[in-house]
Amino acid sequence: MTEAGSASGAGTIPPGLGMDADNLHRLGQTPVFDPVRVEEVINRYRGKRWVLIPLLQEIQEVCGYIPPALIPRIAEAVGMFPVQVQGVISFYSQLHTEPRGKKVVTVCRGTACHVRGGRSILKVVKEHLGIEEGETTPDLEYTLETVACIGVCALAPNMMVGRTTYGSLNPSKVARILGRPKAASGGD
Amino acid sequence: MNKVTITLDGREVTGMPGETILDLARESGINIPTLCHHPLLSPNGACRVCLVENERNGALLAACVTPIEPGMMINTRSPRVLERRRQIVELLLASHPDTCMVCDKGNRCELRCIASEMGVGMLRLERIPQYGAIVDANPFLVRDLGKCILCGRCVKADQELVVEGALDFLGRGFGTRPATLQEVPFEHSECTFCGTCVSVCPTGALRERDALTSGSTSEQVHTTCPFCGCGCSVVLEIRGDRIIRARPGTESPVNQGTLCVRGAYGFDFVHSPERLTTPLVRRGAHLEPASWEEALSLAASGLRRLREESGPDSLAVLGAPTGTNEENYLLQRFARTVLGTPHIDNGARLHRAPSYTGVGGTLGYPGTIGTIRDIECAEVILVVGADPAASAPAVAYAIKRAVTRKGARLLLIEPRRTQLVRFASLWLRPRPGTDIALLNGLANAILAEGLVDPDLVTTRTDGFAELVSTLQRYTPAAVASLTGVTEGELVQAALAFGSAARAALVYGGGVTRARRGTDTVKALANLALLTGNVERKGTGLYALQTRNNAQGACDMGAVPDFLPGYCSVEDSAGRQKFEERWRTRLPAGRGLSASEALAAAVAGRVKGMLIVGENPLGYFPDPFAVEHGLKCLEFLVVQDLFLTETAALATVVLPAASFVEKEGTFTNFEGRVQPVRQALPPRGESRPDWQILLSLAEAMGAPLPFASVTDIEREILELVPFYEAPSLGLEAGLPTREAEPWARRRLHERLFPSTFGRFLPVEYVPEEEPSQEFPLTLVTGSSLYQFGTGMRTSRSSRLSSLVPRAYVEVSAADASVQGIWDGEQVRVVSALAAVEAVAKVCADQPAGVVFAPLASPEARFNRLFPAVIDPQSSLPVLGHVAVRLERGRLDD
Ligand code: SF4
Ligand code: SF4
Ligand code: SF4
Ligand code: FES
Ligand code: FES
């Protein structure tokens, strides 16, 4: 209340990483990104015009996602309001404000894949990773997503891990690709 | 430029290139419905309600964003257009909740108007579910996003007009909504509750809280905000005897469709149950209600008796900047001709005097030169000792617009982190009390870099040689060691300011309240002259005025040193003009200022006082001395809205009408004379101050020749040369506009009345160092939600509910030395007194400096200040004082 009450109070979001530390604490994690590199990236774009999108993409590459606590700093560097930066991030489905896995597994749910058993592939992947769609494994290795069509229907069923596409999938091939035992059977 | 001709609904019409179809249609009297378009905001093209058809190629175009092109054949009402518009409105309604009947927006809802114009009623579409209301606990606005049509006006109003950055769209597709950062409630966001987004929202998605439910109001009154010196134009919506809401005037070049929280939500003090409704007279220890006849005759006989027994010099008068020009004019005439005393002062002088002495001496015109619009055209804006976001928000908006929309560079000289810091390209933080050294240093560096305006300096000014020789001592190195600002920063600022083609200089209370404020103003004026930043658009020297009619009260001569229109009381030729007009002899020589009069009261030389609308006990330094002075008076008459601390000491208290209950004019800090219009009858038996003064004059047997405000105005027009018609706006429909005479006057044709500008070199004089006993420097300033002495704002239900407890901002460094926690109760102790407040620890406050808002009704920080009088302006100093902090409460 007093903060809003002081007309000229500085921004209400404290600088630093407080909020994400909280988020990650909830996930049982510590921040995984390198503050020095983040600093370097932000400074490289500082004061330039029309650089918000590339800056955000690079932050996402460095951190795996865009930590909300960095938004005020990013905004300040490019001369925008934090709320504008937040709006831009939320507009692009490729930008994320939640931690993401190092590898994004994208299982195709298009028609071609569906008729060739795409649904059970998704189920197998979920079992392996122990997460649902849109979630990230607690070790921040994998994030699971689905997509309407990867564009290689001839090889269906398909999925992508990172930027690599894998076709003609079956459960054992999935296990090989993900290279880890089913989450349900306990980790290593 | 070649004009463009198009066919519009079968008619040939011509417009300028770049104009939109909508602009041209409106000029030609053709109505195209719009929803997202707003004349004050950049085009958006979101809603498509304004579709029109180009019959040449069948294209459907959004009229509000499509520029006209030669040969277009636009049909605004083709069956196709009408059908598509209808579909669009139906879609909007499909996702709109069914609560129109009880919606507070009522007939002001533009969606409802458009739907009914198009005859869109029953919906043929499946409803799309939408968001519910958002719970905001703030006392000002409610968000009901179910009613949001995503027009984007609120976002643009917030980012483009008031530039607070509280809102933007969040999400995509169906999930899109205007949101704050992290979707926190407004009260935790950057929102300052200016209400501007509410005023542009076309639907009920954003509305004011607690406006008395739905429907329209019976009456609208255009008037001028009575809080700060910006003088925003407001539209009051009235029902019965109440102000239902206040909207920004959109035509005003001052606020340009914006307000601040005080103007938007602060007017309900006029409905406060604490308003005085009858005269009060003292019977023994108590003030008791009395009739007007009794109170007036008592007041008149008391004043008359003192004048006869002890001479007119034993009487003093103190007015207030809250009064209209007409009232201030009348008050000084009453003092000088009815009472016959030279001792007339007003509370506005507290901030104004350094300006009119400082700027008057150098530039020759005693006030701000330039307009808010000029600030917006500047390339570089230098803000010194001011926190306009709190003291003069409309100016802060203009500065931020200049920075974000026009690429202006903002240079700040300010010890505290104010809201403007975020927008500044350079922030200099001199030690309190060293402003003059810094400004001289800047001027010196500008000289060294050869950035002076040679033409102006050589042909049109005096005193340049003296200035140069004074400035020599202020080398970057010397200034850096005095002020704590680095040499690099100093030179950088000098280069930026000196090389700008158009630079504006804005200063505020941090300068005028401080010791040697007059000299600081002179240093600023020297800087403006040196760089030629006068006399041109986009330049100028701006004295922010914290109190609304401060400029007008001084213009009207309600000051001890000037007759109306800054005719010096010592100028016998000038005095003669007034003596002839008023058919009386005027007291010769300068009168006593209010502080001097109170001191004279203690000495027994002043025995009676008339105080109109001012509360020196809440405002002046060393209120114990003030109280002592007031108590030494034999006779005190107070006219006010409320029983203030000062009124409580009076013999007679006369209830005054508020700004909505009277007519007149206010002059804003730019010098713009604007109308004050009556919207309500005076509360209870209260009367406008001007009527009270006329009755008082009559009761004293010396009636003044006025029967109405217009009569007084006529005399002002005659005697105050720069209040030319038609700038007094009583008859005009709207507040005055750019083109009128005052603007010519400010825009510099006659800038140097003596044909020369004059450099008045000033020297930095060191002040005493903080002692061991009082190691910290307390600086005071304004706060947005509390105003003046808080007399009015603390009685506004919504403003006062947001008032933080009295606080003092402490640097993290000092806090950790003393082990003070954020939110802890502390005592602020000066050599004079102690005040209790809550510590607010601020990471980037410089060490050694603590800050407190001057207007805290529960903690009168003015108590901490000794009654030091600045000799040049005869003003008490409220700039900074040495203090220490102690943990705990006062009685610990
Ligand atoms: S009230 Fe003013 S500051 Fe708050 S969101 Fe609306 S426009 Fe922005
Ligand atoms: S809240 Fe109002 S102004 Fe803002 S986008 Fe929605 S409808 Fe438009
Ligand atoms: S900026 Fe000043 S004049 Fe304008 S609404 Fe606010 S208090 Fe009133
Ligand atoms: S449907 Fe799976 S790749 Fe096309
Ligand atoms: S008014 Fe033209 S698109 Fe909304």
Side-chain angles (χ1 to χ4, degrees), chain A residues 1-2 4-8 10-13 19 68 71-72 81-84 86-87 90-93, chain B residues 159 163 165 167-172 179-182 187-188 190 387 416 419 422 784-785 802 804 840:
Chain A
M1 205 59 171
T2 46
S6 92
S8 34
T12 45
I13 301 295
M19 188 170 42
I71 290 178
F81 287 117
V83 72
Q84 290 175 301
Q86 168 185 275
S90 73
F91 186 76
Y92 291 97
S93 57
Chain B
Q159 296 182 4
V163 206
L167 281 182
D168 204 334
F169 282 125
L170 180 66
R172 53 186 176 269
T180 59
L181 189 60
Q182 308 282 341
E187 54 275 23
H188 299 305
E190 301 288 334
D387 179 13
R416 286 177 64 216
Q419 193 212 39
R422 289 207 310 219
L784 180 61
Y785 299 93
L802 207 81
K840 217 159 105 176

Side-chain angles (χ1 to χ4, degrees), chain B residues 225-232 259-264 392-394 787:
Chain B
C225 173
F227 287 113
C228 85
C230 294
C232 294
L259 286 178
C260 79
V261 66
R262 303 183 291 238
F787 195 76

Side-chain angles (χ1 to χ4, degrees), chain B residues 195-281:
Chain B
T196 306
C197 56
V198 179
S199 77
V200 297
C201 178
T203 71
L206 279 170
R207 9 177 242 277
E208 49 283 285
R209 191 181 290 275
D210 296 340
L212 298 180
T213 57
S214 63
S216 41
T217 41
S218 53
E219 213 193 325
Q220 301 197 349
V221 179
H222 288 254
T223 189
T224 304
C225 173
F227 287 113
C228 85
C230 294
C232 294
S233 110
V234 282
V235 182
L236 300 181
E237 296 184 12
I238 306 290
R239 174 136 35 93
D241 60 355
R242 288 190 79 83
I243 304 173
I244 301 298
R245 66 174 74 80
R247 281 190 282 119
T250 49
E251 310 266 326
S252 161
V254 177
N255 47 321
Q256 306 172 35
T258 67
L259 286 178
C260 79
V261 66
R262 303 183 291 238
Y265 300 106
F267 294 154
D268 53 345
F269 72 89
V270 306
H271 302 308
S272 161
E274 291 172 58
R275 282 280 303 272
L276 291 171
T277 52
T278 70
L280 304 174
V281 300

Side-chain angles (χ1 to χ4, degrees), chain A residues 108 110-113 149-153 158:
Chain A
C108 181
T111 325
C113 295
C149 174
I150 294 177
V152 282
C153 311
N158 297 312

Side-chain angles (χ1 to χ4, degrees), chain B residues 327-474:
Chain B
E327 288 168 341
N328 274 292
Y329 181 86
L330 192 63
L331 183 67
Q332 62 83 31
R333 190 167 162 185
F334 178 88
R336 291 178 167 127
T337 67
V338 178
L339 299 181
T341 174
H343 312 321
I344 160 91
D345 198 358
N346 80 82
R349 227 176 49 88
L350 235 49
H351 300 310
R352 275 282 301 145
S355 296
Y356 68 65
T357 342
V359 187
T362 48
L363 306 186
Y365 178 76
T368 284
I369 46 168
T371 65
I372 284 195
R373 286 272 167 99
D374 276 320
I375 300 181
E376 275 185 74
C377 306
E379 269 177 23
V380 167
I381 304 170
L382 173 62
V383 176
V384 185
D387 179 13
S391 63
V395 174
Y397 301 156
I399 293 173
K400 292 187 289 180
R401 285 194 297 260
V403 172
T404 55
R405 308 197 64 195
K406 307 228 177 98
R409 295 187 67 192
L410 175 62
L411 315 177
L412 273 186
I413 299 183
E414 169 68 43
R416 286 177 64 216
R417 170 173 283 266
T418 59
Q419 193 212 39
L420 283 186
V421 168
R422 289 207 310 219
F423 298 85
S425 36
L426 204 56
W427 176 25
L428 310 184
R429 301 198 259 181
R431 292 190 192 105
T434 63
D435 286 350
I436 294 178
L438 182 59
L439 293 170
N440 279 351
L442 281 176
N444 186 28
I446 285 170
L447 271 178
E449 299 287 343
L451 296 173
V452 296
D453 181 332
D455 185 40
L456 186 78
V457 165
T458 50
T459 63
R460 310 199 41 214
T461 57
D462 284 341
F464 183 58
E466 291 89 321
L467 181 76
V468 174
S469 81
T470 306
L471 291 183
Q472 268 168 7
R473 290 186 285 284
Y474 296 86

